[in-house]
Coordinates of all heavy atoms in Angstrom, one line a residue:
M316 N 16.1 8.9 3.2 CA 15.0 8.2 2.8 C 15.4 6.9 2.0 O 16.1 7.1 1.1 CB 13.9 9.0 2.1 CG 12.8 8.2 1.5 SD 11.7 9.1 0.4 CE 11.7 10.8 0.8
N317 N 14.9 5.7 2.4 CA 15.1 4.5 1.7 C 14.2 4.4 0.6 O 12.9 4.3 0.8 CB 15.0 3.3 2.5 CG 16.3 2.7 3.0 OD1 17.3 3.0 2.4 ND2 16.3 1.9 3.9
E318 N 14.6 4.4 -0.7 CA 13.7 4.4 -1.9 C 13.5 2.9 -2.3 O 14.4 2.2 -2.4 CB 14.4 5.1 -3.0 CG 14.5 6.6 -2.8 CD 13.2 7.3 -3.0 OE1 12.4 6.8 -3.7 OE2 13.2 8.6 -2.6
M319 N 12.4 2.5 -2.4 CA 12.0 1.2 -2.9 C 12.0 1.2 -4.5 O 11.5 2.0 -5.1 CB 10.6 0.7 -2.5 CG 10.3 -0.7 -3.0 SD 8.7 -1.3 -2.4 CE 9.0 -1.6 -0.7
T320 N 12.7 0.1 -5.0 CA 12.7 0.0 -6.4 C 11.6 -1.1 -6.9 O 11.1 -1.8 -6.0 CB 14.1 -0.5 -6.9 OG1 14.3 -1.9 -6.4 CG2 15.2 0.4 -6.5
V321 N 11.4 -1.1 -8.1 CA 10.4 -2.1 -8.7 C 10.9 -3.5 -8.4 O 10.1 -4.3 -7.9 CB 10.3 -1.9 -10.3 CG1 9.5 -3.1 -10.8 CG2 9.6 -0.5 -10.5
A322 N 12.3 -3.7 -8.4 CA 12.9 -5.0 -8.1 C 12.6 -5.3 -6.7 O 12.2 -6.5 -6.3 CB 14.4 -5.0 -8.4
D323 N 12.7 -4.3 -5.7 CA 12.4 -4.5 -4.3 C 11.0 -5.0 -4.1 O 10.7 -5.9 -3.3 CB 12.8 -3.3 -3.6 CG 14.1 -2.8 -3.5 OD1 15.1 -3.7 -3.6 OD2 14.4 -1.6 -3.3
L324 N 10.1 -4.2 -4.8 CA 8.7 -4.5 -4.6 C 8.4 -5.9 -5.2 O 7.6 -6.7 -4.5 CB 7.8 -3.5 -5.4 CG 6.3 -3.7 -5.4 CD1 5.7 -3.7 -4.0 CD2 5.7 -2.5 -6.2
I325 N 8.9 -6.2 -6.3 CA 8.6 -7.6 -6.9 C 9.1 -8.7 -6.0 O 8.5 -9.7 -5.7 CB 9.3 -7.7 -8.3 CG1 8.6 -6.8 -9.3 CG2 9.3 -9.2 -8.7 CD1 9.2 -6.7 -10.7
A326 N 10.4 -8.5 -5.3 CA 10.9 -9.4 -4.4 C 9.9 -9.7 -3.2 O 9.7 -10.8 -2.8 CB 12.3 -9.1 -4.0
K327 N 9.4 -8.6 -2.7 CA 8.5 -8.8 -1.6 C 7.2 -9.5 -2.0 O 6.6 -10.3 -1.3 CB 8.1 -7.4 -1.0 CG 9.3 -6.8 -0.3 CD 8.9 -5.4 0.2 CE 10.0 -4.7 1.0 NZ 10.2 -5.2 2.3
L328 N 6.6 -9.1 -3.2 CA 5.4 -9.7 -3.7 C 5.6 -11.2 -4.0 O 4.6 -12.0 -3.9 CB 4.9 -8.9 -5.0 CG 4.4 -7.5 -4.6 CD1 4.0 -6.8 -5.9 CD2 3.1 -7.5 -3.7
E329 N 6.7 -11.5 -4.5 CA 7.0 -13.0 -4.8 C 6.8 -13.9 -3.7 O 6.6 -15.1 -3.9 CB 8.3 -13.2 -5.6 CG 8.3 -12.6 -6.9 CD 9.6 -12.8 -7.6 OE1 10.7 -12.8 -6.9 OE2 9.6 -12.9 -8.9
R330 N 7.0 -13.4 -2.4 CA 6.9 -14.2 -1.3 C 5.4 -14.2 -0.8 O 5.2 -15.0 0.2 CB 7.8 -13.6 -0.1 CG 9.2 -13.6 -0.4 CD 10.0 -13.2 0.8 NE 9.8 -12.0 1.3 CZ 10.5 -10.9 1.1 NH1 11.6 -10.9 0.3 NH2 10.2 -9.7 1.6
M331 N 4.5 -13.7 -1.4 CA 3.1 -13.7 -1.0 C 2.3 -14.5 -1.9 O 2.6 -15.0 -3.0 CB 2.6 -12.1 -1.1 CG 3.3 -11.3 -0.1 SD 2.7 -9.7 -0.1 CE 3.8 -8.9 1.1
N332 N 1.0 -14.8 -1.4 CA 0.0 -15.6 -2.0 C -0.3 -14.8 -3.4 O -0.8 -13.7 -3.3 CB -1.3 -15.8 -1.2 CG -2.3 -16.5 -1.8 OD1 -2.3 -16.7 -3.1 ND2 -3.4 -16.7 -1.1
P333 N -0.1 -15.5 -4.5 CA -0.4 -14.8 -5.7 C -1.8 -14.5 -5.9 O -2.3 -13.8 -6.9 CB 0.2 -15.7 -6.8 CG 0.2 -17.1 -6.2 CD 0.5 -16.8 -4.8
E334 N -2.7 -15.1 -5.1 CA -4.2 -14.9 -5.3 C -4.7 -13.9 -4.3 O -5.9 -13.6 -4.2 CB -4.9 -16.2 -5.0 CG -4.6 -17.4 -6.0 CD -4.8 -17.0 -7.5 OE1 -6.0 -16.4 -7.7 OE2 -4.0 -17.3 -8.3
A335 N -3.8 -13.3 -3.4 CA -4.2 -12.4 -2.5 C -4.6 -11.1 -3.1 O -4.1 -10.7 -4.2 CB -3.0 -12.1 -1.5
K336 N -5.6 -10.4 -2.6 CA -6.0 -9.1 -3.0 C -4.9 -8.0 -2.8 O -4.1 -8.2 -1.8 CB -7.2 -8.5 -2.3 CG -8.5 -9.4 -2.5 CD -9.6 -8.9 -1.6 CE -10.7 -9.8 -1.7 NZ -11.8 -9.3 -0.7
V337 N -4.7 -7.1 -3.6 CA -3.8 -6.0 -3.4 C -4.5 -4.7 -3.0 O -5.5 -4.3 -3.6 CB -3.0 -5.7 -4.7 CG1 -2.0 -4.6 -4.5 CG2 -2.2 -6.9 -5.1
R338 N -4.0 -4.2 -1.9 CA -4.7 -3.0 -1.3 C -3.5 -1.9 -1.0 O -2.4 -2.4 -0.7 CB -5.4 -3.2 0.0 CG -6.7 -4.2 -0.2 CD -7.8 -3.3 -0.9 NE -9.0 -4.1 -0.9 CZ -9.5 -4.7 -2.1 NH1 -8.8 -4.7 -3.1 NH2 -10.7 -5.3 -2.0
L339 N -3.9 -0.7 -0.8 CA -3.1 0.4 -0.5 C -3.5 0.8 0.8 O -4.7 1.3 1.0 CB -3.1 1.4 -1.6 CG -2.3 2.7 -1.3 CD1 -0.8 2.3 -1.4 CD2 -2.7 3.7 -2.4
A340 N -2.6 0.9 1.8 CA -2.9 1.5 3.2 C -2.4 2.9 3.1 O -1.2 3.1 2.7 CB -2.4 0.7 4.2
T341 N -3.2 3.9 3.6 CA -2.7 5.3 3.6 C -2.9 5.9 5.0 O -3.7 5.5 5.7 CB -3.3 6.2 2.5 OG1 -4.7 6.2 2.9 CG2 -3.0 5.6 1.2
Q342 N -2.2 6.9 5.2 CA -2.4 7.8 6.5 C -2.5 7.1 7.8 O -3.5 6.9 8.3 CB -3.7 8.6 6.3 CG -3.9 9.3 5.1 CD -5.2 9.9 4.9 OE1 -5.3 11.2 5.1 NE2 -6.3 9.2 4.6
P343 N -1.2 6.7 8.3 CA -1.2 6.0 9.6 C -2.0 6.6 10.7 O -2.5 5.8 11.6 CB 0.4 6.0 10.0 CG 1.0 6.1 8.6 CD 0.0 7.1 7.8
N344 N -2.2 7.9 10.8 CA -2.9 8.5 11.8 C -4.5 8.5 11.6 O -5.2 8.7 12.5 CB -2.5 10.0 12.1 CG -1.1 10.0 12.5 OD1 -0.7 9.1 13.3 ND2 -0.3 11.0 12.2
Y345 N -4.8 8.2 10.4 CA -6.3 8.2 10.0 C -6.4 7.1 8.8 O -6.6 7.6 7.7 CB -6.9 9.6 9.7 CG -8.4 9.6 9.6 CD1 -9.0 9.4 10.7 CD2 -8.9 9.8 8.5 CE1 -10.5 9.5 10.8 CE2 -10.4 9.9 8.4 CZ -11.1 9.8 9.5 OH -12.5 9.8 9.5
P346 N -6.1 5.9 9.1 CA -5.9 4.8 8.1 C -7.1 4.4 7.4 O -8.1 4.1 7.9 CB -5.2 3.7 8.8 CG -5.7 3.9 10.3 CD -5.9 5.3 10.6
F347 N -6.9 4.4 6.1 CA -7.9 3.8 5.1 C -7.3 2.8 4.2 O -6.1 2.8 4.0 CB -8.5 5.0 4.3 CG -9.6 5.8 5.0 CD1 -9.2 7.0 5.6 CD2 -10.9 5.3 5.2 CE1 -10.1 7.7 6.4 CE2 -11.8 6.0 5.9 CZ -11.4 7.3 6.4
E348 N -8.2 2.0 3.7 CA -7.8 0.9 2.8 C -8.3 1.4 1.3 O -9.5 1.7 1.2 CB -8.4 -0.4 3.2 CG -8.3 -1.5 2.3 CD -9.0 -2.7 2.7 OE1 -9.2 -2.9 4.0 OE2 -9.5 -3.5 2.0
Y349 N -7.5 1.3 0.4 CA -7.9 1.6 -1.0 C -7.5 0.5 -1.9 O -6.6 -0.3 -1.6 CB -7.1 2.8 -1.5 CG -7.5 4.1 -0.8 CD1 -7.0 4.5 0.4 CD2 -8.5 5.0 -1.4 CE1 -7.3 5.6 1.0 CE2 -8.9 6.1 -0.7 CZ -8.3 6.5 0.5 OH -8.6 7.6 1.1
T350 N -8.2 0.3 -3.1 CA -7.8 -0.5 -4.1 C -6.6 0.2 -4.8 O -6.4 1.4 -4.6 CB -8.9 -0.8 -5.2 OG1 -9.3 0.4 -5.7 CG2 -10.1 -1.5 -4.5
V351 N -5.9 -0.5 -5.6 CA -4.8 0.0 -6.4 C -5.4 0.3 -7.7 O -6.1 -0.4 -8.4 CB -3.6 -0.9 -6.6 CG1 -2.5 -0.4 -7.5 CG2 -3.0 -1.3 -5.2
G352 N -5.3 1.6 -8.1 CA -5.7 2.1 -9.5 C -4.8 1.9 -10.5 O -4.1 0.7 -10.7
E353 N -4.5 2.8 -11.3 CA -3.4 2.7 -12.4 C -2.1 2.6 -11.9 O -1.7 3.0 -10.8 CB -3.5 4.0 -13.3 CG -4.8 4.1 -14.0 CD -5.1 3.0 -15.0 OE1 -4.2 2.5 -15.7 OE2 -6.2 2.6 -15.1
V354 N -1.2 1.9 -12.7 CA 0.2 1.8 -12.5 C 0.9 2.3 -13.7 O 0.5 1.9 -14.9 CB 0.6 0.3 -12.3 CG1 2.1 0.2 -12.1 CG2 -0.1 -0.3 -11.1
A355 N 1.8 3.3 -13.5 CA 2.4 4.0 -14.7 C 3.9 4.2 -14.5 O 4.4 4.2 -13.3 CB 1.7 5.3 -15.0
E356 N 4.7 4.4 -15.4 CA 6.1 4.8 -15.4 C 6.3 6.1 -16.1 O 5.9 6.2 -17.3 CB 7.0 3.7 -15.9 CG 8.4 4.0 -15.7 CD 9.4 2.9 -16.3 OE1 8.8 1.9 -16.8 OE2 10.6 3.0 -16.2
T357 N 7.0 7.0 -15.5 CA 7.2 8.3 -16.1 C 8.6 8.3 -16.8 O 9.4 7.3 -16.6 CB 7.2 9.5 -15.1 OG1 8.1 9.1 -13.9 CG2 5.8 9.7 -14.6
E358 N 8.9 9.2 -17.6 CA 10.2 9.3 -18.3 C 11.4 9.2 -17.4 O 12.5 8.7 -17.9 CB 10.2 10.4 -19.3 CG 9.3 10.4 -20.5 CD 9.4 11.5 -21.4 OE1 10.5 12.3 -21.3 OE2 8.5 11.7 -22.2
D359 N 11.3 9.6 -16.3 CA 12.5 9.7 -15.3 C 12.7 8.3 -14.8 O 13.6 8.1 -14.0 CB 12.4 10.8 -14.3 CG 11.2 10.5 -13.3 OD1 10.4 9.6 -13.5 OD2 11.0 11.3 -12.4
G360 N 11.9 7.3 -15.1 CA 12.1 5.9 -14.6 C 11.3 5.7 -13.2 O 11.6 4.7 -12.7
T361 N 10.5 6.6 -12.9 CA 9.8 6.4 -11.7 C 8.4 5.7 -11.9 O 7.7 6.0 -12.8 CB 9.4 7.8 -11.0 OG1 10.6 8.4 -10.7 CG2 8.7 7.6 -9.7
C362 N 8.3 4.7 -11.1 CA 7.0 3.8 -11.2 C 6.0 4.4 -10.2 O 6.3 4.6 -9.1 CB 7.3 2.3 -10.8 SG 5.8 1.3 -10.8
W363 N 4.8 4.7 -10.7 CA 3.7 5.2 -9.9 C 2.6 4.3 -9.7 O 2.1 3.7 -10.7 CB 3.2 6.6 -10.5 CG 4.2 7.6 -10.5 CD1 5.0 8.0 -11.6 CD2 4.4 8.6 -9.5 NE1 5.9 8.9 -11.2 CE2 5.5 9.4 -9.9 CE3 4.0 8.8 -8.2 CZ2 6.1 10.4 -9.2 CZ3 4.5 9.8 -7.5 CH2 5.5 10.6 -8.0
L364 N 2.1 4.1 -8.4 CA 0.9 3.3 -8.1 C -0.2 4.3 -7.6 O 0.0 4.9 -6.7 CB 1.2 2.4 -6.9 CG 2.4 1.4 -7.2 CD1 2.6 0.5 -6.0 CD2 2.2 0.6 -8.4
A365 N -1.2 4.3 -8.4 CA -2.3 5.3 -8.1 C -3.3 4.7 -7.1 O -3.6 3.5 -7.2 CB -3.1 5.8 -9.4
E366 N -3.8 5.5 -6.3 CA -4.9 5.2 -5.3 C -6.1 5.0 -6.2 O -6.5 5.7 -7.1 CB -5.2 6.3 -4.4 CG -6.2 6.3 -3.5 CD -6.4 7.5 -2.7 OE1 -5.5 7.8 -1.9 OE2 -7.4 8.3 -2.9
G367 N -6.8 3.7 -5.9 CA -8.0 3.4 -6.6 C -9.2 4.0 -5.8 O -9.2 5.1 -5.4
E368 N -10.1 3.0 -5.5 CA -11.2 3.4 -4.7 C -11.2 3.1 -3.2 O -10.5 2.2 -2.9 CB -12.5 2.6 -5.1 CG -12.9 3.0 -6.6 CD -14.2 2.3 -7.1 OE1 -14.9 1.9 -6.2 OE2 -14.3 2.1 -8.3
Q369 N -11.6 4.1 -2.3 CA -11.6 3.8 -1.0 C -12.5 2.6 -0.6 O -13.6 2.5 -1.1 CB -12.1 5.0 -0.1 CG -12.0 4.9 1.4 CD -12.4 6.1 2.1 OE1 -12.2 7.2 1.6 NE2 -13.0 5.9 3.3
V370 N -12.1 1.6 0.2 CA -12.8 0.5 0.6 C -13.4 0.6 1.9 O -14.6 0.7 2.0 CB -11.9 -0.8 0.5 CG1 -12.6 -2.1 0.9 CG2 -11.2 -1.0 -0.9
V371 N -12.6 0.7 2.9 CA -13.0 0.9 4.3 C -12.0 1.5 5.1 O -10.8 1.7 4.6 CB -13.4 -0.5 4.9 CG1 -14.6 -1.1 4.3 CG2 -12.2 -1.4 4.9
Y372 N -12.3 1.8 6.4 CA -11.3 2.2 7.4 C -10.4 1.0 7.6 O -10.9 -0.2 7.6 CB -12.0 2.5 8.7 CG -11.1 3.1 9.8 CD1 -10.5 4.4 9.7 CD2 -10.7 2.3 10.8 CE1 -9.7 4.8 10.7 CE2 -9.8 2.7 11.8 CZ -9.3 4.0 11.7 OH -8.5 4.5 12.7
L373 N -9.1 1.2 7.6 CA -8.1 0.1 7.7 C -8.3 -0.7 8.9 O -8.2 -0.2 10.0 CB -6.7 0.6 7.6 CG -5.6 -0.4 7.4 CD1 -5.7 -1.1 6.1 CD2 -4.3 0.3 7.5
G374 N -8.5 -2.1 8.8 CA -8.7 -3.0 10.0 C -7.5 -3.1 11.0 O -6.4 -2.8 10.6
T375 N -7.9 -3.5 12.1 CA -6.8 -3.7 13.2 C -5.7 -4.6 12.7 O -4.6 -4.4 12.9 CB -7.4 -4.4 14.5 OG1 -8.5 -3.5 14.9 CG2 -6.5 -4.4 15.5
E376 N -6.0 -5.8 12.1 CA -4.9 -6.8 11.7 C -3.9 -6.1 10.7 O -2.8 -6.3 10.9 CB -5.6 -8.0 11.0 CG -4.5 -9.0 10.6 CD -5.1 -10.2 10.0 OE1 -6.4 -10.3 9.7 OE2 -4.3 -11.2 9.7
A377 N -4.5 -5.4 9.7 CA -3.7 -4.8 8.7 C -2.7 -3.6 9.4 O -1.6 -3.5 9.1 CB -4.4 -4.1 7.6
R378 N -3.4 -2.8 10.3 CA -2.7 -1.7 11.0 C -1.6 -2.3 11.9 O -0.4 -1.8 11.8 CB -3.6 -0.9 12.0 CG -4.5 0.0 11.1 CD -5.3 1.0 12.0 NE -5.8 0.5 13.2 CZ -7.0 0.0 13.4 NH1 -7.9 -0.1 12.4 NH2 -7.4 -0.3 14.6
E379 N -1.8 -3.5 12.5 CA -0.7 -4.1 13.4 C 0.3 -4.7 12.6 O 1.5 -4.6 12.9 CB -1.3 -5.1 14.3 CG -2.3 -4.4 15.4 CD -3.0 -5.5 16.2 OE1 -3.0 -6.7 15.9 OE2 -3.6 -5.1 17.3
T380 N -0.1 -5.3 11.5 CA 1.0 -5.9 10.6 C 1.9 -4.9 9.9 O 3.1 -5.1 9.8 CB 0.3 -6.7 9.4 OG1 -0.5 -7.8 10.1 CG2 1.3 -7.4 8.6
L381 N 1.3 -3.7 9.7 CA 2.1 -2.6 9.1 C 2.9 -1.9 10.2 O 3.7 -1.0 9.9 CB 1.2 -1.6 8.4 CG 0.6 -2.1 7.1 CD1 -0.6 -1.2 6.6 CD2 1.7 -2.3 6.0
G382 N 2.7 -2.2 11.5 CA 3.3 -1.5 12.6 C 2.6 -0.1 13.0 O 3.2 0.7 13.5
W383 N 1.4 0.1 12.5 CA 0.6 1.3 12.7 C -0.3 1.0 14.0 O -1.5 1.0 13.9 CB -0.3 1.6 11.6 CG 0.5 1.9 10.3 CD1 1.8 2.1 10.2 CD2 -0.1 2.3 9.1 NE1 2.1 2.4 8.9 CE2 0.9 2.6 8.1 CE3 -1.4 2.4 8.6 CZ2 0.8 3.0 6.9 CZ3 -1.6 2.7 7.3 CH2 -0.7 3.0 6.4
T384 N 0.4 0.7 15.1 CA -0.4 0.4 16.3 C -0.7 1.5 17.2 O -1.3 1.4 18.3 CB 0.4 -0.7 17.2 OG1 1.7 0.0 17.4 CG2 0.6 -2.0 16.3
R385 N -0.4 2.7 16.8 CA -0.7 3.9 17.6 C -2.3 4.1 17.8 O -2.7 4.6 18.8 CB 0.0 5.1 16.9 CG -0.1 6.3 17.7 CD 0.7 7.5 17.0 NE 0.2 8.8 17.4 CZ 0.6 9.9 16.9 NH1 1.5 9.8 16.0 NH2 0.1 11.0 17.3
Y386 N -3.0 3.8 16.8 CA -4.4 4.0 16.9 C -5.2 2.7 16.8 O -5.0 1.9 16.1 CB -4.8 5.0 15.9 CG -4.2 6.4 16.1 CD1 -3.1 6.8 15.5 CD2 -4.9 7.2 16.9 CE1 -2.5 8.0 15.6 CE2 -4.2 8.6 17.2 CZ -3.1 8.9 16.5 OH -2.5 10.0 16.7

């Protein structure tokens, strides 16, 4: 499994519009869009992004951009 680091995430985000909304896409087979809730780091150095509130069923454009074209 390829583990993403905080530095990897920051590098990806730096290429994006800083005014863009941040959303969390989950469950490729039944995809939903969520806001991002809390962000925390545990003693073992792991960064956690918590699911916020469910917004809607994940739209076609987002599914295709993520490569979730199965459904």
Side-chain angles (χ1 to χ4, degrees):
M316 171 188 330
N317 258 345
E318 298 277 345
M319 180 181 285
T320 66
V321 170
D323 295 335
L324 179 58
I325 290 169
K327 288 177 180 285
L328 292 172
E329 284 179 334
R330 295 189 301 262
M331 297 183 179
N332 175 355
E334 300 301 318
K336 295 177 189 174
V337 176
R338 293 289 189 256
L339 178 66
T341 63
Q342 308 177 101
N344 292 328
Y345 195 64
F347 281 97
E348 173 184 331
Y349 291 86
T350 61
V351 175
E353 294 296 318
V354 178
E356 182 179 2
T357 52
E358 288 183 17
D359 67 357
T361 302
C362 175
W363 294 92
L364 306 176
E366 174 184 294
E368 295 182 25
Q369 183 178 329
V370 180
V371 294
Y372 184 75
L373 190 64
T375 302
E376 181 181 8
R378 288 193 316 268
E379 289 175 353
T380 302
L381 290 167
W383 296 356
T384 56
R385 186 171 154 187
Y386 297 94

